[in-house]
Amino acid sequence: MEMLTLVIVLIFETAIAVYSIATKQRRSKIKSWIRIAMFITFVALVLGDVVQWHIAWGAFAALLLILAFKEAAALLRPQSHTPRYKVISAIWKFFLLGLAVVVTLVPVLLFPQHRLPQVTGPFAVATAAYSYTDQTRIEEFTDQGDKRVVNVEFWYPERADGTYPLLVFSHGAFGIKASNASTFTELASHGYVVASIDHPYHSFYTVSEGGKVAMINSGYMQEVNNANKAGVYSLGEYFGLTQKWMKLRTDDMDFVLNTILEQAGRQKDTVYELINVQKIGVFGHSMGGAASVALCRERDDIDAVVNIDAPFFSELVYDEVTDELRAKSEAFTIPLLNVYSDDVWIQLDSSSAYIANQLSNEHFKGAYTVHFRGAKHLSLTDLPLYSPILANLLQEGRKADVDKYYVIETQNELILRFFDYALKGQGPFTPKAAY
């Protein structure tokens, strides 16, 4: 719809320009009525839900309104004289107007209208956002001595009775807490309370309850980008960075979990009263998946974990003598589901960062592992639904070879079935090895 709108408007503006040049008319009732009709048609398409209105359409709608208003005024204003016609001026105006149309449509081209993934549960889903201040930690990314504030958003079953398992999610390296909102919605619709964390300065951006915005830290972003390039860091430096990242992530998750459990014990008539504190799961995408696995080594109240496309950073040991990474030799006994895209799958047996993830690692022999063939790293988030262009750009132009809705809806189903099995005793859980 977005690209079609761009093409149609440019065709009409081209026709207006050609007509103006051919007839040597600066003012034309035909031009005026066409631009007024374009605005009225756009409004009708929005009201008819053919065009799904969202804020990204705002600039384009404003442009159409200004043009329609200008042409309506021209129709009503009597013409006292005929200005001299200049072809160069007409061409220049056409070029500027065409540029304005393209620029105002950029937001909707980046974020096109799309259908939401299927939600299959019986519960309507509500959301709530909170900011938690950790009085025991100073914010390391600022020099103001502030305490660290972690923003959390809940997805939970609305108008539900009883209590439900708590699931805590951690986003990827440059992600946001809504990165897998379709997954959270599907889980909540089936009777789960999902708390998704924004890790300040690790997330692309986050906004606190008070309206304070924290953008991603440039130093951290450079660390991650350089870590994905060969030869920038030594193996020892790389290992040190991963452990630093894991420390901040698990500290955030540990703090959020403790805060939620404290609130669940004393808050009434809020999302907290819906939480079953005896049933807890954690999951995350990319670096958030790595942090979820790491947190399970630190707490004994986590009953299940889902790792979405992440290396087990917490399971690595660096040997300074041999300058090698090896996997820990401690069995992982918590129910675990690994979900991999092609991007990670091809590294399981070739990259030292994934040595603990290898299917031959006997200390993870009880884990479930599935592979989405044709999927890319960001296919396992909602980003390709909201902005296919951005997803492809962030994946360096590598487009997934599988339907984006198939991937996210199948993944959502798998994660739901896994947590149903591990936390609610509903099973069995027998996923395929590949999808």
Side-chain angles (χ1 to χ4, degrees):
M1 174 57 70
E2 297 77 14
M3 187 58 69
L4 180 62
T5 300
L6 174 61
V7 171
I8 291 174
V9 173
L10 289 180
I11 287 174
F12 274 115
E13 289 301 330
T14 301
I16 289 173
V18 170
Y19 178 80
S20 176
I21 293 172
T23 60
K24 293 183 168 32
Q25 294 184 45
R26 289 189 59 183
R27 294 179 60 178
S28 166
K29 289 185 178 182
I30 293 177
K31 178 184 72 172
S32 297
W33 283 114
I34 286 176
R35 287 182 175 160
I36 292 171
M38 282 195 295
F39 174 70
I40 293 173
T41 300
F42 179 76
V43 172
L45 290 174
V46 171
L47 294 177
D49 206 30
V50 177
V51 171
Q52 297 171 8
W53 175 261
H54 54 89
I55 191 63
W57 283 106
F60 177 70
L63 176 63
L64 291 185
L65 175 61
I66 291 170
L67 292 175
F69 182 81
K70 177 176 175 292
E71 297 300 340
L75 287 174
L76 295 174
R77 185 174 61 247
Q79 186 174 352
S80 57
H81 68 283
T82 303
R84 182 183 175 189
Y85 184 82
K86 296 180 181 180
V87 174
I88 296 299
S89 176
I91 294 174
W92 182 241
K93 288 180 180 179
F94 165 71
F95 173 76
L96 290 178
L97 185 56
L99 182 62
V101 170
V102 172
V103 169
T104 57
L105 278 172
V106 164
V108 290
L109 292 172
L110 284 176
F111 299 97
Q113 64 186 47
H114 60 280
R115 74 169 177 86
L116 295 176
Q118 185 179 16
V119 178
T120 64
F123 294 110
V125 176
T127 62
Y130 300 95
S131 295
Y132 300 150
T133 302
D134 189 346
Q135 298 296 339
T136 67
R137 287 191 292 161
I138 300 296
E139 181 53 72
E140 64 183 74
F141 290 101
T142 64
D143 56 3
Q144 300 173 2
D146 297 330
K147 301 297 184 181
R148 184 160 173 84
V149 177
V150 182
N151 302 315
V152 182
E153 187 163 2
F154 288 88
W155 281 255
Y156 60 94
E158 192 175 26
R159 296 187 297 276
D161 297 323
T163 59
Y164 304 93
L166 171 66
L167 304 175
V168 176
F169 181 86
S170 174
H171 59 72
F174 308 147
I176 56 175
K177 63 178 181 288
S179 66
N180 286 66
S182 71
T183 312
F184 313 151
T185 304
E186 174 67 355
L187 289 165
S189 77
H190 283 272
Y192 288 91
V193 176
V194 182
S196 184
I197 298 172
D198 257 342
H199 298 280
Y201 305 102
H202 271 208
S203 59
F204 183 70
Y205 76 95
T206 182
V207 183
S208 70
E209 281 187 280
K212 182 178 179 180
V213 179
M215 299 299 296
I216 189 169
N217 177 264
S218 59
Y220 162 73
M221 185 163 58
Q222 186 173 24
E223 286 177 353
V224 175
N225 287 332
N226 286 341
N228 290 320
K229 300 175 183 176
V232 177
Y233 296 121
S234 68
L235 194 59
E237 290 171 333
Y238 173 79
F239 175 76
L241 284 174
T242 63
Q243 303 314 298
K244 180 181 73 171
W245 299 334
M246 289 300 96
K247 179 68 166 58
L248 181 137
R249 293 292 187 111
T250 54
D251 282 353
D252 282 352
M253 296 178 76
D254 191 50
F255 163 64
V256 167
L257 251 175
N258 287 337
T259 302
I260 292 173
L261 295 180
E262 289 173 7
Q263 296 296 323
R266 62 188 185 204
Q267 292 279 2
K268 299 297 181 185
D269 299 324
T270 65
V271 62
Y272 300 110
E273 70 175 344
L274 296 175
I275 296 172
N276 180 349
V277 298
Q278 303 301 318
K279 297 292 183 181
I280 300 173
V282 292
F283 64 132
H285 173 257
S286 195
M287 195 177 291
S292 297
V293 172
L295 190 67
C296 295
R297 292 294 200 189
E298 301 177 10
R299 300 181 66 109
D300 59 8
D301 57 353
I302 295 175
D303 304 298
V305 57
V306 176
N307 162 44
I308 305 174
D309 234 26
F312 297 157
F313 286 140
S314 61
E315 302 300 311
L316 299 177
V317 177
Y318 175 63
D319 190 323
E320 294 184 6
V321 177
T322 62
D323 190 32
E324 292 178 334
L325 293 176
R326 59 179 174 83
K328 289 181 178 178
S329 57
E330 180 184 353
F332 194 90
T333 57
I334 298 172
L336 168 65
L337 169 63
N338 295 308
V339 182
Y340 294 129
S341 70
D342 281 353
D343 288 340
V344 168
W345 187 258
I346 61 174
Q347 299 185 69
L348 293 186
D349 294 319
S350 61
S351 171
S352 58
Y354 288 90
I355 192 169
N357 295 66
Q358 292 179 356
L359 302 184
S360 59
N361 186 347
E362 63 179 11
H363 301 296
F364 284 85
K365 60 184 178 182
Y368 300 93
T369 298
V370 300
H371 168 212
F372 279 95
R373 294 194 181 108
K376 296 301 181 184
H377 188 55
L378 293 176
S379 301
L380 305 180
T381 72
D382 289 347
L383 183 59
L385 310 182
Y386 289 91
S387 182
I389 293 176
L390 280 181
N392 291 337
L393 286 174
L394 292 172
Q395 292 170 155
E396 300 177 349
R398 294 171 297 132
K399 187 177 180 180
D401 296 322
V402 64
D403 180 73
K404 57 190 177 183
Y405 284 100
Y406 169 77
V407 174
I408 200 67
E409 289 177 342
T410 304
Q411 176 183 249
N412 292 351
E413 179 189 1
L414 285 170
I415 292 174
L416 170 64
R417 285 168 46 205
F418 171 75
F419 281 131
D420 280 348
Y421 169 73
L423 300 180
K424 294 183 177 180
Q426 301 173 4
F429 180 65
T430 54
K432 297 187 296 184
Y435 290 85

